Amino acid sequence: MRRMKLRVNRHQLLSMSRDQTSGSFKKEGTLQVGRKETALTEKFCRLRGNLLFVLKKQAGELEEVLLLERSNVRRLSSDGTRLLLSFESGDPCVFLQFGDSAEADSWLVALEDANFEKLRRHVAHLRNRINSQQTCVASESLHNNGGAGGAESAAAAPLQLTVECRGLVGMPTRVQVRVSVININTHRIRELCCAETCRSSDTGAFITSVCLRDDSEGDYALCHDSRIKVTVYRAELETNATRTILGFTFFSIRDLFRLKEPHISLSLRTMDGVTEVGEVKVSCLQMEGEDGNKTPPEHKCPSLCDSLHSSIHDKENSAMMRAVLCSQVCKVYRFQTEDQRWLLVREQMSETPLSFSLPKQLLSALTREHANRVQEVKDLGDLSPHWDGLRHDVINHCNHLIGCYQETLAELEKLPAESCFKSSSSKSDQHLQFVPTNLHSQRMEVTNPDSSGVWYDVITFGAPADHHQAFKHGGLKRLLCKHLNSHSTISYSQEESSRAKELLVSVAQLLPLVFGHAEELLSVSVLVNAARLQQVLDSLVQQTEQFVHALKDELVKAALLAIHNQSATDVNGSHAHSNGLICEIRPADEMEYNEEEWDTAWANVAKSLNCIIAMVDRLQEREERPPMLTSPEQQEPSGDTNSQNTASPSSSFTPTWQEQLLPLVVTLRDCVREAVGKARIAMTFVVLQRAVATTVAQGPAHIAQRRHAVFSQVLSAVVCGFALKLYDGLEDPQFLQQLHIVGVLAQFEGLLSTYGDEVGMLEDMEVAVDDLSGLTFTITEAKTDQPDDLLPTLTGAWGCFIVKVPLPPETFTSLPQELRDGHPIRVEPVLFNIGINQQQSLAERFGDSSLQERLNQRSCEHLKAYCTSLRDKVPDMTGIQSLADLLTSLDRSVESKKRKNVEVLWLAAMVCRQVNGMRLTSCKSAKDRTAMSVTLEQCVLLRNRHTLSQQHFSTALDCMRREGCRMENVQKNVGNRKYAFSSVQLLTFPKLYRPPDGSYG
């Protein structure tokens, strides 16, 4: 049976919920409704047929519609005022509370009658009774007629199966298939049918069909727990006397119908159960007869939880989930608890469009960033040969990356818009190096009989590594260490670089104004107008003071000192940059500098300006002074004129105002020009050094590209994990408080060995996870509820990227004020790695595990620091006080020298879930070892948090690994349903990480 989707017309539902014609609704009234018993809210409910409409208020907005099929309703409280509406598929229960018991009774009857399944069961019961009577009559007729005729009309609904045998040992030409049913109570075997021998097809396969008829009244009734035995015989002759057994296999009805496709593949084994002699594929053609109601519901496999009663606003079908998840695969199980009750477990694996959307955004952001860097250094104008060489080096480096990223982005744009998955076989594809390998969300919903579902998430993806460049020279950590040890440079922050660019702009704007006012002062001085001269002087003083205030910055002083120190240390006279270019350096004495020189430059500007002010004051005083020098001339009118002609020029000539101001203005301009020259050199050094330092820090182009690629892979995974964690915690005020106060934990679990190429993968992964420290999230309000408007977007630059996660308007308004205001949410990444395969055994015996030990110790310290901060800042958080014991155990496990100590991974995962962190699991391709880890974690959660019976633990673990979502993951990656393990390899695995027999090879 395939999953069926409920197709609804929203406008029609709205019309039905508001139709006020007589008799439209069987029941209506104001109730307390909720998915949790402790969080009920007042709603107005209307019951019409098998639809329960839930509105905010009478004649208000329709919130959800419940389809009351395959549902049960029962009382909860002793006072009879509460009802529990549960669904057989395991969807979240609905709690209803009424004003009094009488009202609850009337609603109880109405809800029971609204479930058409009750009516169908009654009809089926009557039909079975009729069939029983017909069977008796037919048997009597058969006895009376001496065996003539038959009882075909008494047969129950048949189970039609197709059995296909492939790869049989010995390549027989004819086989015979025998199908038997095992009584689950007495363990007796009864043969139901024996198919005729069939000839081999051209493909070497044997295909036949069998029909199992349900003995509903006998001891061999078919139900979901029924065990079916398939035995295959070799029949070389057309008679059955010469047949010999080839092998057998078992399966249950539950196994057959829990899969998405109506077939199951089984290994055919010899009678001793050891040797595999072929494969049997069993397909279901028909579970029921023409009348779909003949099989009682209690005989149907509960793994078929394709519910039709999901809420219209079911969280899993919400617009937010549809935006980040796609191509879902769902498996449903039912496991028994310690108190003999049943757990309904839904395992869901989904792809995500973030696998491609975020790498595209990152490539665009990196292209813009490098283009801006090129433009920045180009805008510096003419530079000295040494600095111009550095500039060309930066430009060449950036242009190379821009070309590569534009090419990669163009190739990604050619892919279909719906692309969401990169298989493990494509991990070395050059144009897909930014796309994470095999990225999926693995979700498990657990529903107890009396509670709604609880979700557990794990993000699985191939270890973020650059498989295209491979690992001949190691991974990123080793490559960066080698590069940074051989190249050291002064580094400035982005803020300092921005400040330097602002100062350069100020220089360009203010210098012409200062010089302009100085020229105007000289021009006005010709007019000998004291008032006008004073007005221009005031403007010059104001502009010069503004100029001094803008440029007298400590950054300039520090940069000048750094230039001098760098020139003094570069005794070789050359500079080797990231791509190998050699740039000559100017001699150290070309630019003499001491710590007081910058202060002296500005002191000279101030002194020259003060001289101009003093001169203008003297000129104004002379203008205002009475003409005292004319009286002696009047007293000696007859004096000798020759004596005046022979007098010195200084006594006979008075210089003009312009002549007196000119040398002072020239001095001011020289001092300003000197200060500006030093400031320009310093700020150019800061901007260029920032570009050089960024380039050097990223390494040569191939290292920078590798770093960006692995960061892109881990970015997609962590954004997907954060989105799911946010959606699940929107109703948890403590979690929302935790986000804006201390941020969110991202716990990466690695299963890589420290031997061979996987050492390089682990080194790549370490750097990628560390780079997440500069990532922050913000929550924004989406324009609409369309999936495209709800996709996370990436902004910012390398080292300070921001991911904006949009929420629908009605959801956004319910957030705390801090998150609505765009408060950044920090990411605290930690990486724990334990190798579990045969290569790790070689590393532990003959190699080196120091990388793994260092990673785990450092991550343990970071995790303890995060938990301490969380405990101090959010002391009321649930379960926060119990972390001390877990952290102590984790610290002890990390410090121990135990081989393949997977307890480290278990304890780290427990701490992560305790603090609402994101769980991310990786191995080489997230296919085999990751499957073992994820399924083990799911079963441990069922045992520790939901009391899964210990005797059913191994059964549940094998079931999930053999038939669960991770097997589907293997199928979609490599095309077969076998984990890539060998029996010899598995001998080196921890026992709990070994798959069941028949599921590997």
Side-chain angles (χ1 to χ4, degrees), residues 714-735:
V714 78
L715 175 68
S716 297
V718 81
V719 172
C720 180
F722 177 80
L724 296 180
K725 181 62 66 175
L726 176 64
Y727 298 161
D728 287 339
L730 288 173
E731 299 178 359
D732 186 353
Q734 288 185 341
F735 171 69

Side-chain angles (χ1 to χ4, degrees), residues 370-427:
H370 286 86
N372 292 337
R373 188 172 301 152
V374 169
Q375 191 60 44
E376 284 178 3
V377 296
K378 283 184 176 180
D379 291 341
L380 294 177
D382 295 333
L383 299 176
S384 66
H386 163 58
W387 284 5
D388 193 50
L390 291 180
R391 174 166 61 184
H392 283 295
D393 194 3
V394 172
I395 291 175
N396 293 337
H397 176 90
C398 293
N399 285 338
H400 176 77
L401 292 180
I402 289 172
C404 293
Y405 293 164
Q406 287 178 339
E407 180 183 357
T408 302
L409 185 59
E411 293 296 327
L412 292 179
E413 294 292 351
K414 295 178 182 178
L415 299 175
E418 62 274 10
S419 296
C420 297
F421 171 67
K422 171 187 170 183
S423 68
S424 61
S425 59
S426 303
K427 57 179 173 284

Side-chain angles (χ1 to χ4, degrees), residues 497-508:
S497 178
S498 299
R499 176 63 180 157
K501 286 185 285 186
E502 292 175 0
L503 292 177
L504 289 175
V505 173
S506 298
V507 168

Side-chain angles (χ1 to χ4, degrees), residues 667-688:
T667 302
L668 174 65
R669 287 188 297 191
D670 291 342
C671 292
V672 169
R673 191 177 289 110
E674 179 186 4
V676 167
K678 293 180 180 297
R680 276 180 172 165
I681 290 173
M683 295 303 94
T684 300
F685 175 79
V686 172
V687 174
L688 186 59

Side-chain angles (χ1 to χ4, degrees), residues 745-759:
L745 178 72
Q747 188 251 319
F748 291 83
E749 175 183 309
L751 300 167
L752 298 171
S753 67
T754 54
Y755 188 86
D757 284 349
E758 291 195 4
V759 177

